[in-house]
Amino acid sequence: MARLLVAWVAGTVTLVVVDVLLDDLRFTAWWTPIVASAVIGLIGFVLHPLLVAVAARVGWLAVIALAVVGQALVVAVALAVVPGVEVESWWAPVISAWLAALVGSVLAWLGTAGTDEGFAVSLARRGRRSRPRTDGPLPDGLLVVQLDGLPYPVLTWALAAGNAPTVDRWLRDGSHTLHEWRPTVPATTPASQLGILHGTVEPVPAFRWYDRELGRVLTANHPADAAIIEARAPGPGLLADGGVSVSNLFSGGADRSAMVLSRLRVARGTTITREAVAWFLLRPDGFARSLFRAVGEIVRERTQARRQVRRDLRPRITRDWAFALLRAVTNGVIRDLSTAVVAQEMLRGTPIVYVDYVDYDEVAHHAGLFRQESLAVLATLDTVLATLETVAETASRRYRIVVVSDHGQSQGDTFLQADGVTLADTVAELTSGSVQAVQTTGEDYARLRALAEDMAETGAGSGAARRAAARLDERTSVVADGGATPGGVPPGRTVADGENAPAAAADSDLLVLASGNLGLIQARTERRLLLHEIDERWPGLVPGLVARPTIGCVVAMTAADGPVAIGPDGLHVLRTGAVVGGCDPLAAYGAGACERLLPAADRAVAPDLYVISACDVSTGAVHAFEELVGSHGGLGGWQDRAVLLAPADLGAPPASILGADSLHRVLQGWRTELGA
């Protein structure tokens, strides 16, 4: 009631201001703005759902038009039926609507409607209006929230510091229990999410790799490649039979999806995203709120980046305006939009929903996983959990909320900063040949690209959306950015996603790719080369790599012993655990390193050589082969320490969960237990 009163007063004040500013709109009685404000609210209550439904089905031009003139239409209808109003131009209601949005947003920030609590209330209020009718009680549903890249120790720190009050309350109330699970190599989103959603990590040796079957590089955050990867996963998936996938790399077999990369080229025509965006744009506490937050995020990012430079904080990388803009979109608009989509599905009674929030992962990549800005983002994600909890209270079925992270992160100077050269430069020097190198992620653009691609479905405006997605394609292409040696070996060339790699075989001897502190070295051969074959072709390569203090070990396949991890003073046979020589090359990576490395090293899809950076035993610092402060992919530090926040009234998870495929079985068991 208090919120309705505030909205009524804000609308009345706005109309009074409009009456003063515009000659084409006049009120002939003092009470007219008061009545008109109430009528606008009532008509909006009726017309908003209709406008959203029509815009979502017509296409993106209709959604954009709704953002510009949707509320103006509501204002125009209201002013037409209220006595004592004189409107002399068509644009007067448009200006009135936009002024109303501006005043409403300002009052919202001064009050509560623009806060996270207000956003949650508006979502829940929408649910009370749109809750579907059911013949009886529905089985309990499951909402799985992925907090991308969150290490288990960082969450425990946040809980101790009071920066995750929602999670802390759940633990204190006994509704949830906190567990740690261990992803295997590669500790990346593609491998972990394919394992969690589809029950296997077998097809994914890294974030990107040379695929021998296709003869080209596959990159997991490219829509066409994500579809190929998902097609190689067996089984129906965690989200089959009624589930919805939101803002993920893979669909999990969901019937419907929104902003899911693997579905963008094969599942045109869904209205999930358009409907949520239409509702989002129509409400001042939706789009206007996120717009203010996005601007604030840009200012915050630039201030934080300059603060790191001013304090000479190490390790650090250059954080430019492009990242500031991307952070504003992903950590503002896309975060709220994903929450709106999830809320929409919960209110519809969807039995299982899986959503990925990448906020912490992206900021930690650039700022570091311990830094103030990263922990602040984690605090905002805790408020997202509170928002979803509020929405769940109004849903047509009871939801159990599960929180997972797909991997952790580690921190340290990049390989280039620590060694002075890139991994590609090193390989080129040791082989006296040219290499093609892929050492830039393009990962920051994935979620923005997913939204653009999702907008490029059938309907009005799809052509413009496709052109925007195509431009983002250029930013997420695989880029070869190294390989020159002091001796003048020519640098690698750009290889766009989907390009036929053998066509460029004459340009280079080896392909070098990076996934955090996990490097991949591959020849363009139809099968994986054995260690003795590598030594015959490039005798100085493996000895030269392990001799560098910034490299901890090199993993290769042998004919007699299977995969081995090679260090400067010893060799670890992964299948047996035997150590040959004076020093175990896996000792610095902690207990269980062999167990986490063996599955990846033993697969046929593995590269000819895995290269894992050195790890500082005392600090857990590693060296990413990409220019990232926080990284993940290989071994060392906290990158293979992930989170599972489990509902306490469901079956207890195993004491030890190793691998994303094991976590898939836990979630599948809970879904079976709930009968959803």
Side-chain angles (χ1 to χ4, degrees):
M1 182 61 68
R3 295 179 187 276
L4 289 176
L5 182 59
V6 170
W8 189 10
V9 171
T12 301
V13 171
T14 301
L15 291 176
V16 171
V17 171
V18 170
D19 183 29
V20 173
L21 296 179
L22 295 182
D23 294 333
D24 292 342
L25 177 65
R26 289 186 297 275
F27 298 108
T28 59
W30 65 268
W31 49 265
T32 306
I34 301 174
V35 175
S37 177
V39 173
I40 289 172
L42 291 173
I43 293 178
F45 182 84
V46 175
L47 284 186
H48 281 172
L50 178 61
L51 291 172
V52 167
V54 171
R57 283 155 181 80
V58 171
W60 283 103
L61 282 181
V63 173
I64 295 171
L66 179 65
V68 177
V69 300
Q71 184 63 15
L73 178 61
V74 172
V75 172
V77 172
L79 296 181
V81 300
V82 173
V85 181
E86 296 179 359
V87 180
E88 297 181 0
S89 69
W90 61 269
W91 50 267
V94 176
I95 296 178
S96 300
W98 276 95
L99 284 175
L102 177 62
V103 173
S105 298
V106 171
L107 291 178
W109 283 108
L110 294 176
T112 59
T115 64
D116 293 293
E117 294 83 0
F119 186 50
V121 169
S122 68
L123 290 171
R125 188 183 300 122
R126 180 187 178 206
R128 284 192 289 270
R129 296 198 300 265
S130 61
R131 180 183 298 172
R133 296 180 179 179
T134 59
D135 296 331
L138 295 171
D140 291 354
L142 199 64
L143 169 62
V144 185
V145 180
Q146 178 178 308
L147 304 183
D148 207 294
L150 176 62
Y152 177 84
V154 170
L155 179 58
T156 61
W157 286 11
L159 288 168
N163 290 335
T166 302
V167 174
D168 183 62
R169 172 167 52 81
W170 290 354
L171 294 173
R172 285 187 289 102
D173 292 348
S175 65
H176 287 74
T177 56
L178 183 60
H179 308 268
E180 179 179 356
W181 74 277
R182 307 300 294 266
T184 54
V185 174
T188 62
T189 298
S192 289
Q193 200 171 83
L194 192 73
I196 294 171
L197 291 176
H198 292 273
T200 181
V201 296
E202 293 285 333
V204 184
F207 183 83
R208 62 175 63 84
W209 66 95
Y210 176 76
D211 186 83
R212 298 185 183 94
E213 179 183 341
L214 298 175
R216 67 174 179 85
V217 172
L218 282 181
T219 305
N221 70 344
H222 187 279
D225 292 355
I228 292 171
I229 296 166
E230 181 174 320
R232 293 174 175 177
L238 178 68
L239 306 182
D241 299 323
V244 167
S245 180
V246 180
S247 196
N248 297 308
L249 290 178
F250 307 113
S251 72
D255 296 340
R256 294 175 297 121
S257 60
M259 296 175 288
V260 172
L261 284 168
S262 66
R263 289 286 184 89
L264 294 178
R265 300 291 175 85
V266 296
R268 301 288 186 192
T270 177
T271 61
I272 291 178
T273 309
R274 288 204 297 262
E275 186 173 324
V277 171
W279 174 86
F280 193 66
L281 293 176
L282 192 59
R283 294 189 57 84
D285 56 0
F287 176 71
R289 167 184 179 274
S290 291
L291 183 61
F292 278 119
R293 290 164 68 100
V295 172
E297 198 75 16
I298 293 173
V299 174
R300 189 178 301 114
E301 163 58 27
R302 298 307 298 157
T303 301
Q304 292 166 346
R306 283 194 289 268
R307 183 176 62 196
Q308 282 196 351
V309 174
R310 186 174 65 253
R311 295 179 177 179
D312 195 23
L313 195 62
R314 304 292 179 91
R316 73 170 187 269
I317 60 172
T318 301
R319 294 155 61 178
D320 56 17
W321 276 97
F323 172 66
L325 293 171
L326 284 168
R327 175 177 166 181
V329 174
T330 57
N331 292 18
V333 176
I334 291 181
R335 178 207 298 160
D336 284 347
L337 180 57
S338 296
T339 302
V341 173
V342 172
Q344 174 178 281
E345 293 305 316
M346 293 171 67
L347 298 169
R348 284 175 171 167
T350 301
I352 180 169
V353 181
Y354 193 107
V355 60
D356 182 14
Y357 291 98
V358 300
D359 309 44
Y360 173 84
D361 187 67
E362 288 195 353
V363 174
H365 275 321
H366 293 79
L369 61 155
F370 310 101
R371 304 290 164 73
Q372 295 177 6
E373 46 264 57
S374 303
L375 298 178
V377 169
L378 180 56
T380 64
L381 290 173
D382 184 83
T383 65
V384 171
L385 296 177
T387 297
L388 296 174
E389 181 184 32
T390 299
V391 174
E393 293 171 355
T394 68
S396 56
R397 69 168 86 223
R398 180 188 178 192
Y399 278 91
R400 305 299 206 290
I401 300 178
V402 179
V403 180
V404 301
S405 61
D406 50 343
H407 51 74
Q409 282 203 48
S410 302
Q411 186 169 296
D413 290 314
T414 69
F415 185 83
L416 177 60
Q417 291 170 343
D419 207 287
V421 293
T422 68
L423 179 61
D425 294 330
T426 302
V427 172
E429 180 180 3
L430 293 173
T431 60
S432 298
S434 62
V435 301
Q436 285 186 346
V438 185
Q439 298 171 147
T440 55
T441 67
E443 190 175 357
D444 302 331
Y445 293 87
R447 292 305 185 273
L448 182 57
R449 175 183 183 170
L451 178 58
E453 287 270 9
D454 219 1
M455 291 167 64
E457 295 164 350
T458 57
S462 59
R466 288 194 189 95
R467 288 190 292 273
R471 291 189 181 96
L472 287 170
D473 257 355
E474 299 173 1
R475 304 306 299 264
T476 54
S477 293
V478 174
V479 178
D481 58 358
T485 70
V489 177
R493 54 183 289 276
T494 298
V495 184
D497 280 348
E499 181 181 348
N500 190 354
D507 294 347
S508 62
D509 301 314
L510 290 170
L511 186 64
V512 179
L513 307 101
S515 291
N517 80 319
L518 181 70
L520 293 80
I521 302 176
Q522 294 186 255
R524 295 179 180 85
T525 55
E526 295 181 355
R527 63 169 179 83
R528 185 179 183 184
L529 297 179
L530 298 176
L531 178 59
H532 75 272
E533 295 173 310
I534 296 171
D535 288 339
E536 289 172 359
R537 294 192 187 191
W538 304 284
L541 179 57
V542 173
L545 288 172
V546 298
R548 304 187 83 94
T550 45
I551 292 178
C553 70
V554 173
V555 179
M557 178 64 73
T558 65
D561 298 319
V564 295
I566 307 164
D569 300 310
L571 179 148
H572 193 125
V573 181
L574 298 181
R575 289 178 183 171
T576 65
V579 177
V580 180
C583 182
D584 182 2
L586 298 183
Y589 302 111
C594 177
E595 189 179 14
R596 297 191 295 279
L597 178 59
L598 173 59
D602 216 7
R603 295 178 193 132
V605 297
D608 298 322
L609 294 176
Y610 272 130
V611 182
I612 304 177
S613 82
C615 176
D616 188 301
V617 177
S618 59
T619 65
V622 301
H623 307 298
F625 297 116
E626 304 160 295
E627 288 306 291
L628 300 173
V629 175
S631 67
H632 51 88
L635 293 170
W638 293 349
Q639 60 188 300
D640 52 10
R641 301 186 64 181
V643 171
L644 172 61
L645 188 65
D649 58 349
L650 297 180
S656 175
I657 301 176
L658 179 64
D661 48 351
S662 298
L663 182 57
H664 169 85
R665 291 190 287 272
V666 173
L667 296 174
Q668 194 71 272
W670 287 343
R671 189 177 181 191
T672 301
E673 183 179 344
L674 292 173

